[in-house]
Amino acid sequence: MTPVVRTIAALIFPFIIIFSFYVIMHGHLTPGGGFQGGAIGASAIVMLIVAYGARNVKKKAKEESLSIFESIGGLVFVIVGIIGFVAASSFLYNFLVGEPLFGTIPPFGSNPGILNSGGILPILNIAVGMKVIGGLASVVLVMALAGGDEE
Amino acid sequence: MFEIALILLSAFMIASSIIAVWFKDLLASTIALAVMSLILSLYFYMLHAPDVAIAEAGVGACITTALLVIAIKNTERMEEVEE
């Protein structure tokens, strides 16, 4: 791509990543969640692949490391579910209610939204976001790498 | 007002879909598909489904377009006209 496209892509890449983290972290309060934020974050990496070429992106993020990142997300999801099974009664039991981490019980009625609430839901959102970012980015990266040489 | 906006958005979606099928330049067809997906996400937002709208805008308008552009770059850009 031309230098204009490359410069603009490098300039707005951190903003898209920050917005993706925002959507993932506020998944239990506002529209969005793990999949939506992960799709936004993967689209940032896809933008870099289109602008800079797959070879240059592969130097920074190999598909093996993206695959490891994705697997960590899935593993965190399953481990949190099994902890709920062990610590309490059922799979994915919300064992964090009342704890200092994500455990605040919001007051009854309408409120502006307390970020430090939701129990295990933010952790599950982060896990799903990691999985979606790794999966979608590695899909596009492998397809761009398989296509032969390009700029 | 709301119904008029929905009808207009539907008309734009149908028009961009027809354009995507009609063009012989596959890159232009891809851009028309991206426009259709973007209008669809606006439609979802107006129907009070912002969750689906975010997913549609992220996956439909960005990742699918990038995949199709990569596929076109490695094959042929113009569709062959068969007589």
Side-chain angles (χ1 to χ4, degrees):
Chain A
M1 286 285 174
T2 59
V4 175
V5 177
R6 292 191 169 191
T7 309
I8 296 299
L11 201 63
I12 67 176
F13 174 72
F15 294 101
I16 302 178
I17 286 290
I18 289 294
F19 182 63
S20 148
F21 289 167
Y22 163 76
V23 172
I24 291 175
M25 274 311 295
H26 288 243
H28 56 295
L29 298 176
T30 55
F35 181 78
Q36 284 84 7
I40 295 171
S43 71
I45 301 177
V46 166
M47 179 184 71
L48 282 190
I49 291 173
V50 170
Y52 283 86
R55 299 272 183 274
N56 293 323
V57 175
K58 199 195 168 190
K59 289 175 194 162
K60 297 292 181 188
K62 294 185 180 62
E63 61 262 39
E64 289 89 6
S65 50
L66 281 174
S67 180
I68 290 172
F69 189 71
E70 178 195 357
S71 303
I72 288 174
L75 209 60
V76 166
F77 197 100
V78 173
I79 285 175
V80 168
I82 290 179
I83 286 175
F85 194 64
V86 170
S89 56
S90 63
F91 190 71
L92 283 178
Y93 185 81
N94 203 341
F95 60 91
L96 276 179
V97 172
E99 303 287 328
L101 178 70
F102 295 131
T104 309
I105 300 172
F108 186 73
S110 66
N111 56 68
I114 300 168
L115 184 61
N116 192 16
S117 69
I120 62 171
L121 287 181
I123 299 174
L124 297 183
N125 268 330
I126 291 169
V128 173
M130 287 170 72
K131 193 155 175 59
V132 173
I133 287 178
L136 286 180
S138 60
V139 163
V140 180
L141 182 61
V142 166
M143 178 154 175
L145 279 174
D149 202 25
E150 86 273 0
E151 170 147 6
Chain B
M1 187 59 209
F2 186 72
E3 287 80 10
I4 295 174
L6 288 189
I7 290 172
L8 270 180
L9 286 181
S10 308
F12 280 135
M13 273 174 58
I14 294 173
S16 53
S17 306
I18 291 174
I19 283 173
V21 176
W22 184 58
F23 271 175
K24 294 300 176 203
D25 189 353
L26 292 180
L27 198 61
S29 294
T30 306
I31 302 301
L33 270 184
V35 168
M36 197 274 294
S37 188
L38 203 65
I39 297 172
L40 182 61
S41 81
L42 190 61
Y43 204 106
F44 278 135
Y45 180 72
M46 290 186 67
L47 291 180
H48 302 286
D51 224 345
V52 191
I54 297 173
E56 177 68 33
V59 175
C62 183
I63 292 178
T64 311
T65 309
L67 272 179
L68 287 174
V69 165
I70 289 170
I72 287 169
K73 198 158 71 178
N74 293 308
T75 53
E76 304 227 338
R77 180 171 169 178
M78 305 302 289
E79 188 180 2
E80 291 182 6
V81 183
E82 50 204 38
E83 295 297 329

